[in-house]
Amino acid sequence: MEKWVVILMLLLSWRIRESFCAKSEVTYDGRSLIIDGQRKILFAGSIHYPRSTPQMWPNLIAKAKEGGVDVIQTYVFWNLHEPQPGKYDFSGRNDLVGFIKEVKAHGMYVCLRIGPFIESEWTYGGFPFWLHDIPGIVYRTDNEPFKFYMQNFTTKIVNMMKAEGLYASEGGPIILSQIENEYQNIERAFGEAGSPYVQWAAKMAVGLNTGVPWIMCKQTDAPDPVINTCNGMKCGETFTGPNSPNKPALWTENWTSFYQVYGGQPYLRSAEDLAFHVTLFIARNGSYVNYYMYHGGTNFGRTSSAYVITAYYDQAPLDEYGLLRQPKWGHLKQLHTAIKSCSTTLLQGVQRNFSLGQLQEGYVFEEEKGECVAFLINNDREKKVTVQFRNRSYELLPKSISILPDCQNVTFNTANVNTTSNKRIISPKQNFSSVDVWKQFQDVIPSFEDTSVKSDSFLEQMNTTKDETDYLWYIHRFENNLSCSKPTLNVQSAAHVAHAFVNNTYIGGAHGNHDVKNFTLELPVTLHEGTNNLSILSVMVGLPDSGAFLERRFAGLISVQLHCSEEESLNLTNSLWGYKVGLLGEQLQAYKGQNSSGIEWSQLGNIEEQALIWYKTAFDTPEGDDPVVLDLGSMGKGEAWVNGQSIGRYWILFHDSKGNPSQSLYHVPRSFLKDSGNVLVLVEEGGGNPLGISLDTVSVTDLHQNFYKLSFPSSS
């Protein structure tokens, strides 16, 4: 008997493994993607593996699946995976294979957007900065050095996927791959070299023989057999359609919110608006909709692009921490259910469009056997209307679409939200208000003698730092020959922030913003008679992520002058300057919080008068499974680390138009933490008070004060 039980168990195990490893054929026609001969309407959600942690992935993917999502869509992040030429990293949050296997374990598909240019509000658009130093390189055009490295990395990723059997053609979950990214936005800048590059990229990708279709987003001339797709908030209205009658209408980025920059406020896109435009796209023969983002996550470390905050798409259906954002998540789940209930007729029926009024219209899909689906659309934003359809009256809410899976009964209206809204609850767990719990380390203001690199013209910042740090010191020693006792220092910069020190004394700073690329620092200074030392710390808050000729961008100081009057000034721009890359604390790895040679942690000093200070304290992990955050609302600008892992940049002093910081809560994944003795280190550029920091947990509750709990594994 036991023998037969063992055999039966082995057979069941084999059958289960067989079902997960069965090879699938993925093709397409003018209506949809076709998987194993079956047309599909697919809902996808963007979740980027490095913007969360491996411990969070199962929870995020499970919630996406529960929300009616079929496909997880992700970019591939070249600068993470190949930080130096030929040296690869696929560990930890960079474990692309592990992420895709997790998606497969949940029985879902993957759309792999290799790029390898991705933009994505990711520093340098995902390019590793070493590309900048390749002789003769011009990014994203018909340039041989660039094409060599692009093909090399793309081939590396494809071969990895093949080796792990992750393409659907091998029994894996990947049903689509993307090459390039919104290239048509900049193609004109490259003149006649643009089109050959598009042709080359498509041919190169298709030649890798993945066995699944390739796509190009926002590329109306995507060469056959590559599918051109739509990105935006209203692709049901704006998409000009596939460039061939044999290609389906795919929407690769439906923006659930928008990225947020320092000084900006979050973009709040309603569940009703999202549902309206998804439904309209489906009614107009769309068959694939991806939510960008379904979960945005966190720009850990220095990964965000210029001026972009550390939290990413926090207003997505799953918020930064992976908690449900209601009613968005629930409303979209109901929409997915409604559309899937009639997907066979939508994919096989004949579509017909007709008017129901001045601002009203309808779409009907009918099969020969009589099955019928209708979409009744009211484009009037102000008024609800009653329309007649097949001898029945239907009331349509303002700016809404009703779905009738049988052309009679309404099962869903995009403006009728039945999901209860929820809100965040922030629960303080520990404060750090005691001076005794803190230690500090004062970073060094370098002088001209401390520099080994010197130039009589300003060096470009990104090329000098190689994106190893946000910081570059510009240092000059000069004789004071001015007649006035208190001249004005004028600094023009194409970086993001500048802090000025005269003779080791901090005199002030200034910054730009996301929309104005250059800024001016202008401050009165007190000079010594004779020799003076001017040290200017130039700061980048992420590298640019988009636009043509990215390799030519200039950042750093443009000019430095001292003015007594219009008639009397001292131009220091073309003088001899010394340079120092990074802060001393970075070189000594102060962010690890350990005692080492060169670092002497001391008691907290006078907080108000200090700049470039490293702070250190310790804390225990809060009990439970709720996400953990640090409230840094009392700080100024800098970066924070927990147990040596960066949780991202902070910039509290950059307020929005309402006088509030763009972000004050910073996610600390539980996988970063130990049970006790966690080390928190911050580098503060100036203006922050660590005594106001608190350690909190985050939960959500609906507006009736009932906690919303789902039976998902806890995130960490």
Side-chain angles (χ1 to χ4, degrees), residues 394-442:
Y394 295 89
E395 184 179 83
L396 302 180
L397 296 173
K399 194 62 177 179
S400 75
I401 304 176
S402 286
I403 301 175
L404 290 65
D406 57 1
C407 282
Q408 292 185 14
N409 299 295
V410 176
T411 60
F412 185 87
N413 179 274
T414 59
N416 184 17
V417 178
N418 297 313
T419 302
T420 302
S421 298
N422 67 359
K423 64 177 181 180
R424 279 181 180 160
I425 302 296
I426 308 300
S427 303
K429 298 299 178 181
Q430 182 178 341
N431 65 55
F432 301 90
S433 57
S434 171
V435 172
D436 296 335
V437 304
W438 287 99
K439 299 287 186 181
Q440 74 170 46
F441 166 68
Q442 172 68 63

XYZ file of all heavy atoms in Angstrom, residues 394-442:
395
model
N -30.812 53.632 -19.669
C -29.646 53.465 -18.794
C -29.176 54.842 -18.330
O -28.948 55.748 -19.152
C -28.504 52.757 -19.529
C -28.828 51.331 -19.915
C -29.433 51.048 -21.146
C -28.558 50.277 -19.051
C -29.745 49.744 -21.501
C -28.865 48.964 -19.398
C -29.457 48.701 -20.623
O -29.769 47.405 -20.963
N -29.044 54.989 -17.029
C -28.527 56.239 -16.474
C -27.013 56.139 -16.369
O -26.478 55.196 -15.765
C -29.130 56.496 -15.093
C -28.702 57.841 -14.513
C -29.319 58.110 -13.156
O -28.770 57.614 -12.153
O -30.353 58.803 -13.105
N -26.334 57.104 -16.983
C -24.872 57.116 -16.976
C -24.381 58.273 -16.112
O -24.769 59.428 -16.322
C -24.329 57.272 -18.397
C -24.758 56.210 -19.424
C -24.138 56.511 -20.789
C -24.347 54.811 -18.952
N -23.524 57.974 -15.160
C -22.945 59.006 -14.308
C -22.022 59.897 -15.137
O -21.559 59.508 -16.213
C -22.158 58.348 -13.173
C -22.972 57.510 -12.182
C -22.044 56.790 -11.217
C -23.951 58.390 -11.421
N -21.739 61.120 -14.655
C -20.814 61.993 -15.395
C -19.468 61.306 -15.631
O -18.951 60.612 -14.753
C -20.663 63.206 -14.468
C -21.904 63.212 -13.643
C -22.265 61.770 -13.445
N -18.926 61.521 -16.808
C -17.627 60.981 -17.222
C -17.483 59.535 -16.777
O -16.678 59.175 -15.902
C -16.486 61.823 -16.640
C -15.122 61.562 -17.270
C -15.085 61.892 -18.756
C -13.710 61.698 -19.370
N -13.687 61.986 -20.811
N -18.294 58.668 -17.354
C -18.280 57.274 -16.930
C -18.586 56.351 -18.097
O -19.087 56.774 -19.139
C -19.295 57.043 -15.806
O -20.615 57.025 -16.313
N -18.267 55.082 -17.885
C -18.589 54.028 -18.839
C -19.260 52.898 -18.071
O -18.749 52.449 -17.042
C -17.334 53.496 -19.549
C -16.562 54.630 -20.238
C -17.706 52.423 -20.576
C -15.258 54.192 -20.880
N -20.382 52.449 -18.571
C -21.048 51.269 -18.012
C -20.730 50.057 -18.870
O -20.727 50.134 -20.106
C -22.571 51.475 -17.963
O -22.924 52.365 -16.926
N -20.439 48.941 -18.201
C -20.145 47.688 -18.886
C -21.358 46.773 -18.759
O -21.849 46.514 -17.655
C -18.908 47.001 -18.285
C -17.689 47.923 -18.383
C -18.623 45.671 -18.993
C -16.446 47.367 -17.711
N -21.849 46.288 -19.919
C -22.979 45.366 -19.977
C -22.484 44.069 -20.604
O -22.445 43.937 -21.836
C -24.128 45.939 -20.811
C -24.929 47.144 -20.267
C -24.083 48.398 -20.134
C -26.124 47.417 -21.171
N -22.083 43.076 -19.818
C -21.507 41.847 -20.389
C -22.475 41.054 -21.249
O -22.041 40.222 -22.052
C -21.105 41.042 -19.150
C -21.023 42.031 -18.045
C -22.053 43.064 -18.360
N -23.792 41.317 -21.105
C -24.795 40.620 -21.916
C -25.638 41.594 -22.730
O -26.704 41.235 -23.230
C -25.704 39.778 -21.017
C -26.384 40.626 -19.945
O -26.161 41.861 -19.914
O -27.131 40.051 -19.133
N -25.148 42.833 -22.853
C -25.864 43.899 -23.567
C -27.206 44.246 -22.906
O -28.054 44.890 -23.532
C -26.077 43.539 -25.044
S -24.576 43.782 -26.042
N -27.391 43.825 -21.663
C -28.624 44.156 -20.952
C -28.357 44.693 -19.550
O -28.868 45.745 -19.176
C -29.528 42.918 -20.852
C -30.092 42.445 -22.187
C -31.071 41.288 -22.007
O -31.522 41.004 -20.904
N -31.394 40.605 -23.100
N -27.560 43.979 -18.783
C -27.393 44.290 -17.367
C -26.033 44.936 -17.103
O -24.995 44.433 -17.553
C -27.512 43.010 -16.532
C -28.878 42.369 -16.699
O -29.894 42.939 -16.314
N -28.895 41.175 -17.310
N -26.064 46.044 -16.366
C -24.834 46.755 -16.009
C -24.191 46.051 -14.814
O -24.805 45.913 -13.749
C -25.126 48.223 -15.654
C -23.843 48.919 -15.177
C -25.725 48.956 -16.847
N -22.957 45.597 -15.000
C -22.238 44.977 -13.879
C -21.169 45.895 -13.303
O -20.665 45.637 -12.203
C -21.571 43.667 -14.322
O -20.631 43.953 -15.375
C -22.607 42.664 -14.808
N -20.820 46.962 -14.043
C -19.771 47.859 -13.552
C -19.930 49.210 -14.230
O -20.172 49.292 -15.436
C -18.382 47.291 -13.870
C -17.234 48.092 -13.306
C -16.782 47.860 -12.020
C -16.608 49.074 -14.066
C -15.720 48.601 -11.489
C -15.551 49.809 -13.550
C -15.105 49.568 -12.255
N -19.799 50.264 -13.424
C -19.706 51.623 -13.962
C -18.444 52.254 -13.407
O -18.189 52.204 -12.196
C -20.932 52.459 -13.587
C -20.831 53.889 -14.112
O -20.256 54.748 -13.457
N -21.382 54.127 -15.307
N -17.661 52.850 -14.279
C -16.332 53.322 -13.875
C -16.384 54.407 -12.810
O -15.416 54.580 -12.048
C -15.568 53.853 -15.102
O -16.321 54.927 -15.703
C -15.338 52.746 -16.125
N -17.492 55.161 -12.735
C -17.596 56.245 -11.756
C -18.312 55.830 -10.483
O -18.418 56.622 -9.544
C -18.309 57.449 -12.380
N -18.801 54.608 -10.447
C -19.522 54.124 -9.267
C -18.565 53.286 -8.420
O -18.355 52.106 -8.675
C -20.730 53.298 -9.693
C -21.560 52.852 -8.515
O -21.449 53.394 -7.414
N -22.400 51.843 -8.729
N -17.980 53.916 -7.414
C -16.961 53.258 -6.602
C -17.615 52.635 -5.374
O -18.195 53.330 -4.537
C -15.868 54.258 -6.170
C -14.835 53.567 -5.288
C -15.201 54.869 -7.396
N -17.503 51.323 -5.281
C -18.086 50.594 -4.149
C -17.064 50.226 -3.086
O -17.436 49.751 -2.013
C -18.751 49.305 -4.651
C -19.911 49.607 -5.585
O -20.740 50.452 -5.290
N -19.958 48.927 -6.730
N -15.796 50.438 -3.378
C -14.738 50.097 -2.421
C -14.573 51.219 -1.408
O -14.493 52.396 -1.776
C -13.406 49.867 -3.154
O -13.571 48.824 -4.114
C -12.308 49.495 -2.179
N -14.506 50.867 -0.149
C -14.321 51.855 0.906
C -12.904 52.420 0.861
O -11.926 51.675 0.745
C -14.561 51.223 2.288
O -15.878 50.688 2.317
C -14.402 52.244 3.397
N -12.790 53.733 0.962
C -11.472 54.367 0.998
C -10.772 54.035 2.308
O -11.413 53.762 3.326
C -11.616 55.886 0.868
O -12.202 56.239 -0.368
N -9.443 54.051 2.264
C -8.693 53.859 3.500
C -7.700 54.987 3.693
O -7.525 55.845 2.822
C -8.003 52.488 3.526
C -6.887 52.345 2.499
O -6.601 53.262 1.725
N -6.251 51.188 2.466
N -7.081 55.016 4.841
C -6.071 56.035 5.122
C -4.967 55.411 5.959
O -5.135 54.377 6.592
C -6.682 57.222 5.867
C -7.229 56.885 7.244
C -7.759 58.126 7.947
C -8.300 57.787 9.344
N -8.805 58.987 10.036
N -3.825 56.082 5.950
C -2.679 55.596 6.709
C -2.789 55.969 8.182
O -3.266 57.048 8.538
C -1.386 56.198 6.161
C -0.869 55.505 4.932
C 0.414 56.161 4.480
N 0.923 55.495 3.287
C 1.787 56.041 2.450
N 2.237 57.260 2.671
N 2.213 55.378 1.391
N -2.291 55.068 8.990
C -2.128 55.319 10.414
C -0.627 55.241 10.715
O 0.001 54.215 10.464
C -2.886 54.297 11.280
C -4.380 54.304 10.930
C -2.660 54.574 12.761
C -5.081 55.607 11.241
N -0.064 56.331 11.220
C 1.344 56.368 11.591
C 1.432 56.204 13.106
O 0.878 57.016 13.856
C 2.014 57.682 11.162
C 1.752 57.955 9.670
C 3.507 57.646 11.456
C 2.275 56.899 8.742
N 2.112 55.155 13.536
C 2.200 54.847 14.963
C 3.635 55.036 15.446
O 4.527 54.249 15.083
C 1.763 53.396 15.219
O 0.448 53.176 14.744
N 3.893 56.074 16.258
C 5.243 56.296 16.783
C 5.685 55.140 17.687
O 4.906 54.659 18.510
C 5.120 57.596 17.580
C 3.882 58.254 17.052
C 2.962 57.135 16.671
N 6.909 54.691 17.523
C 7.444 53.590 18.319
C 8.654 53.999 19.155
O 8.901 53.425 20.204
C 7.832 52.419 17.403
C 6.659 51.819 16.628
C 5.600 51.253 17.561
C 4.409 50.702 16.807
N 3.361 50.176 17.705
N 9.418 54.959 18.675
C 10.600 55.389 19.426
C 10.988 56.782 18.960
O 10.939 57.086 17.766
C 11.769 54.416 19.196
C 13.034 54.763 19.981
C 14.147 53.761 19.763
O 13.919 52.634 19.316
N 15.368 54.142 20.089
N 11.349 57.646 19.914
C 11.914 58.939 19.529
C 13.383 58.978 19.922
O 13.866 58.128 20.679
C 11.128 60.101 20.151
C 11.230 60.124 21.665
O 12.316 60.149 22.226
N 10.074 60.131 22.335
N 14.079 59.943 19.375
C 15.516 60.058 19.599
C 15.838 61.453 20.156
O 16.813 62.084 19.760
C 16.269 59.830 18.283
C 15.999 58.484 17.654
C 14.958 58.307 16.757
C 16.785 57.390 17.977
C 14.710 57.075 16.172
C 16.543 56.149 17.398
C 15.514 55.978 16.503
N 14.989 61.918 21.078
C 15.059 63.302 21.554
C 16.138 63.537 22.595
O 16.430 64.684 22.933
C 13.705 63.721 22.124
O 13.311 62.839 23.170
N 16.735 62.472 23.094
C 17.773 62.633 24.101
C 19.133 62.851 23.444
O 19.541 62.086 22.555
C 17.836 61.391 24.998
O 18.963 61.447 25.849
N 19.838 63.870 23.889
C 21.177 64.141 23.368
C 22.106 62.947 23.585
O 22.995 62.665 22.774
C 21.752 65.406 24.047
C 23.214 65.610 23.664
C 20.929 66.628 23.685
N 21.863 62.212 24.658
C 22.773 61.128 25.040
C 22.769 59.952 24.069
O 23.703 59.144 24.076
C 22.410 60.622 26.440
C 22.604 61.687 27.511
O 23.427 62.591 27.282
O 21.914 61.624 28.545
N 21.703 59.804 23.248
C 21.643 58.640 22.351
C 22.361 58.891 21.032
O 22.456 57.988 20.201
C 20.181 58.215 22.073
C 19.446 57.946 23.365
C 19.433 59.257 21.233
N 22.875 60.088 20.842
C 23.487 60.451 19.569
C 25.000 60.618 19.690
O 25.514 61.070 20.691
C 22.901 61.759 19.040
C 21.498 61.627 18.523
C 20.356 61.939 19.185
C 21.102 61.142 17.248
N 19.258 61.687 18.405
C 19.682 61.195 17.204
C 21.785 60.665 16.132
C 18.960 60.786 16.082
C 21.073 60.269 15.015
C 19.674 60.329 14.999
N 25.683 60.278 18.616
C 27.088 60.611 18.418
C 27.206 61.367 17.102
O 26.344 61.255 16.220
C 27.951 59.339 18.354
C 27.914 58.476 19.606
C 28.686 59.105 20.741
C 28.768 58.147 21.938
N 29.507 58.754 23.072
N 28.267 62.127 16.957
C 28.449 62.870 15.715
C 29.899 62.806 15.252
O 30.814 62.561 16.031
C 28.021 64.329 15.884
C 28.983 65.180 16.700
C 28.632 66.648 16.635
O 27.468 67.027 16.784
N 29.634 67.489 16.426
N 30.062 63.019 13.948
C 31.384 63.114 13.346
C 31.369 64.303 12.392
O 30.548 64.363 11.471
C 31.731 61.824 12.592
C 32.912 61.943 11.666
C 34.191 62.130 12.161
C 32.745 61.872 10.288
C 35.275 62.246 11.306
C 33.822 61.975 9.426
C 35.093 62.161 9.944
N 32.254 65.253 12.640
C 32.329 66.449 11.804
C 33.174 66.167 10.566
O 34.345 65.789 10.668
C 32.956 67.607 12.587
C 33.251 68.844 11.763
C 32.005 69.558 11.285
O 31.214 70.044 12.093
N 31.814 69.628 9.968
